[in-house]
Structures are given as C-alpha cells and as structure tokens.
Amino acid sequence: MRFSFATAGRILFGAGTLAEAAEAAPRLGRRALLVTGRHPERAAPLTRQLETRGITWQAFSVSAEPEVEQAVEGAALARETGCELVIGFGGGSALDAAKAIAALATNREPVETYLEVIGAGRPLSQPPLPTIAIPTTAGTGSEVTRNAVLKSLAHRVKVSLRGPGMLPDLAIVDPELTLSLPPAVTAATGCDALTQLLEAFVSAKANPLTDGLCREGLVRAARALPQVVARGDDLAARTDMALASLFSGMALANAGLGAVHGIAGPLGGMIGAPHGALCARLLPFVVEANLAALVRRKAGEDTVARYAEAARMMVSSRATTVELVAWLHDLVARLEIPVLSACGLTRAELPDLVLKAKAASSMKGNPVQLTDDELTDILNRAL
C-alpha cells in the first residue's frame, strides 16, 4: 500500500472562525488582493477586520465562473498594486479565481503555458503568492484543492490550472457564512459536495485516508442536504454540509473523481449552468451506468461493494445499490434540478461532448472505463 496526501497548510473550521482571519493574515502579507464573487458586500465583516490590523486591500470580483482572461487580469492587478497576499472570499468561483491569480502573479509566462487541455500544461516554476481561502458556500471544497478551474470562452471548455503550490496556506470554513444562501444555490453546491464524496469513494485512486473522509462526509451530506435546502437557517445542518464540503475537497484532491465530473467539466464550458446542478443531474445515471458496466464486464466486485456500502450510509442500514440509485433520482427531483436540455444542451452536441469527456482528467478516476455508447446513453437519459 502506497499513497500520498496533501491539503491546505492550516484549516480553521467552525461557526465564528471568520473572526480569526485578520489575526492570521499579517503572517502572510500586509497588502492583499481580495477576490470575491458577485456580492462583494458580503465581505464587509472581513474587510473591517483587515483594516483594524493595518492590512490594505484591493478588491477584485468575479460575477460567475472565472474565465481565463479574468485570472490574467487579476494577476496583473496584484502585481501592479504590490500585493503580497491573495484572499478568496466566496463560492468555488471566487476561490478558484483567487488561487489562479496567486499562481499567475508570480508565474509570468503566457497563461497557455500552464493550462491543461488548451495549453502546454507545464508545471508552475515559481511558488504562488500566499493564499487564504474562505468559502461562503458548501459545495466545491476548493479551499483545500490544488487546482483552479477556468472557463475558456474561445474554446467552449473549462480547463484546470494546477500545481501543488496552489493549495491555500490557510482555509477558514465558517458555516455561519452559508446561512444566507438561497435554496437553489444551496441545492446546487450541496449536490457538488455529495457527488465529489461519492466519486472519490469509488475512485480507482482511492486510499484509506480519503475513504475515511468520504465515509464521514457521505453520512453528513445525505442527512443534511435536504434539510439545508428546506431550512436554510438550521446551523447544525449547515455545519454538517460545510464539513462534508471540506472533506469532499480533501478527498478529491488526493483520490480524484469520476465520470460525473469528467462530463460536467467540459459540459460547463458549453452551456451556462451551475456546475453543481450539472453534477446532480448526471449523478444517478452515472452511478447506474457504472454499476451495470462493472457487472457486465464481470470485474470490479470491490467497487460494487463500495457502492453498496454507500447505500447503507446514505439511504438506510439495509439499502442496496438499486435503492441508492432510486434515492439519488428522488433527491434530484425533490431539489428541482433541471434536465440538461433546459440548461441549453442539444442532442446534436452529444458526440462532441463525449469526445471532450473522454479526454477530461477527472475521467481517469472512474472505477470502470465507459464506452462511447455508454457515455452517450448517460447523456441521452439526462437530457
């Protein structure tokens, strides 16, 4: 048995931990670029803290999933203003943008040098600027991952900027920051966390350490996700989801993902829909296809057993894989996740999407290699 494990330099978790950000920040730098989402005013409690500690900050916001050009622009701004530190405050988009900006601020070759799929994918030659990641959603786990997902509008695809140095120096996970999330955002981001946990648990690259994170996270996510969508002010359930999201990020960063993200990544570059909603719509069909392929190929008994264990953790103590698939379909229906055609995907685009999905890095972790026909069937059923 051999594996490695890496995560953020330090993690602070719990209600009220945002108050510790200003105390930690001066150790990393006194001039900060503050990267936020479409509601920068939500960062007011943080900026007041920074100012009391004598930390100057420059604002930079991303209104949707970050684009390659925005990361380049943010890096130039960080250099021009002499920033020593990058703070990401917001959902996965803001955190990914912050990590990309921190990396590109010190690695000054053309951005295509470092991007996967559409670029050369070369390693970063210089350490990124120090980074603090503060999530305000419970979904992506980006605060503990070593990559940033960026959208290339020109190529209609989402690609990764990746490097071990992109792990944040400090992750602050305060469940109170998620209390104001609307139900639709709560549902989409929560489904992303749930998907990441399940995919990492059955990944071909899973290890005992990520298994433990996934087992703990799946139990919490399965019981808390419906509750936080129905009752957003339930701090206990919000805490469960924040922890599940954190664990999902730690797990995927070390065990990889699978076909759901292998499809959702390129799909997100083709249509304008929330990543978590795409994952939710695909998840039941991918689980069903994986189970059928494993049985049909008479291989992967251990993986089938893992899906069965997941059923017992998520559904009931005696649940089967059939009941797991049914539970996932029911969850997607209860959360009113739209079909892919409603998000803009057309049947004519499926062949191109299948080709892109097969080349996605996330597909490498899927427990069974799915054929073009199997991938097409998943998409047809989710359409």
Side-chain angles (χ1 to χ4, degrees):
M1 184 184 299
R2 182 175 180 175
F3 63 89
S4 63
F5 188 89
T7 192
R10 184 183 177 208
I11 299 170
L12 294 176
F13 181 92
T17 49
L18 178 64
E20 300 181 48
E23 180 182 346
R27 303 168 195 165
L28 300 174
R30 289 196 166 272
R31 294 179 63 86
L33 184 72
L34 176 60
V35 182
T36 64
R38 62 168 60 101
H39 298 293
E41 67 277 3
R42 294 189 64 197
L46 172 63
T47 58
R48 287 194 293 268
Q49 290 183 46
L50 296 177
E51 289 164 0
T52 62
R53 289 280 180 162
I55 297 174
T56 58
W57 54 276
Q58 172 73 45
F60 186 86
S61 64
V62 290
S63 59
E65 293 181 337
E67 298 167 12
V68 172
E69 293 77 12
Q70 289 177 310
V72 173
E73 179 187 351
L77 180 61
R79 289 193 296 267
E80 291 167 7
T81 54
C83 289
E84 305 165 331
L85 163 70
V86 179
I87 302 174
F89 182 96
S93 294
L95 301 194
D96 275 8
K99 292 188 295 182
I101 289 168
L104 296 175
T106 56
N107 291 271
R108 303 191 182 192
E109 295 294 323
V111 65
E112 292 80 12
T113 306
Y114 312 111
L115 291 177
E116 297 178 353
V117 182
I118 63 172
R122 292 183 191 169
L124 301 172
S125 59
Q126 301 297 322
L129 290 176
T131 308
I132 298 176
I134 307 172
T136 61
T137 64
T140 67
S142 181
E143 66 272 14
V144 286
T145 62
R146 68 188 95 189
N147 72 302
V149 179
L150 304 174
K151 180 178 286 190
S152 171
L153 296 180
H155 297 85
R156 295 188 72 214
V157 68
K158 292 200 292 188
V159 297
S160 278
L161 178 66
R162 192 183 307 273
M166 290 178 65
L167 281 164
D169 297 85
L170 173 64
I172 298 177
V173 185
D174 185 342
E176 290 184 348
L177 296 175
T178 68
L179 288 171
S180 61
L181 287 179
V185 177
T186 298
T189 55
C191 284
D192 191 15
L194 181 70
T195 302
Q196 290 170 174
L197 288 162
L198 187 54
E199 288 207 295
F201 188 56
V202 300
S203 168
K205 298 183 284 186
N207 65 64
L209 188 48
T210 59
D211 286 349
L213 292 166
C214 291
R215 287 186 175 105
E216 184 71 22
L218 283 169
V219 171
R220 292 176 183 271
R223 76 185 180 207
L225 180 51
Q227 176 66 9
V228 292
V229 174
R231 288 284 309 275
D233 60 349
D234 186 333
L235 182 57
R238 289 286 192 184
T239 299
D240 270 346
M241 281 309 304
L243 198 56
S245 176
L246 174 66
F247 287 175
S248 79
M250 296 169 74
L252 78 87
N254 293 278
L257 291 165
V260 174
H261 279 81
I263 298 170
L267 178 55
M270 297 168 65
I271 61 176
H275 170 74
L278 298 180
C279 289
R281 183 65 188 163
L282 291 163
L283 181 58
F285 300 111
V286 169
V287 171
E288 201 167 4
N290 279 347
L291 285 165
L294 289 164
V295 172
R296 191 160 46 243
R297 294 167 184 41
K298 297 181 180 179
E301 290 183 4
D302 289 346
T303 304
V304 174
R306 280 178 176 263
Y307 274 122
E309 182 183 352
R312 295 191 294 272
M313 290 187 290
M314 298 167 62
V315 185
S316 70
S317 60
R318 295 185 179 181
T320 65
T321 56
V322 172
E323 290 170 304
L324 172 63
V325 172
W327 185 89
L328 291 171
H329 278 297
D330 179 66
L331 178 68
V332 169
R334 279 189 289 158
L335 298 184
E336 300 181 348
I337 303 296
V339 297
L340 297 183
S341 58
C343 299
L345 183 67
T346 65
R347 204 171 299 279
E349 294 175 294
L350 298 192
D352 182 44
L353 177 54
V354 167
L355 286 175
K356 290 179 178 179
K358 288 172 64 180
S361 58
S362 292
M363 197 65 79
K364 297 175 183 176
N366 204 58
V368 60
Q369 186 172 346
L370 298 173
T371 66
D372 288 15
D373 287 344
E374 287 166 337
L375 290 170
T376 302
D377 182 61
I378 289 168
L379 290 167
N380 273 315
R381 297 178 68 195
L383 198 60

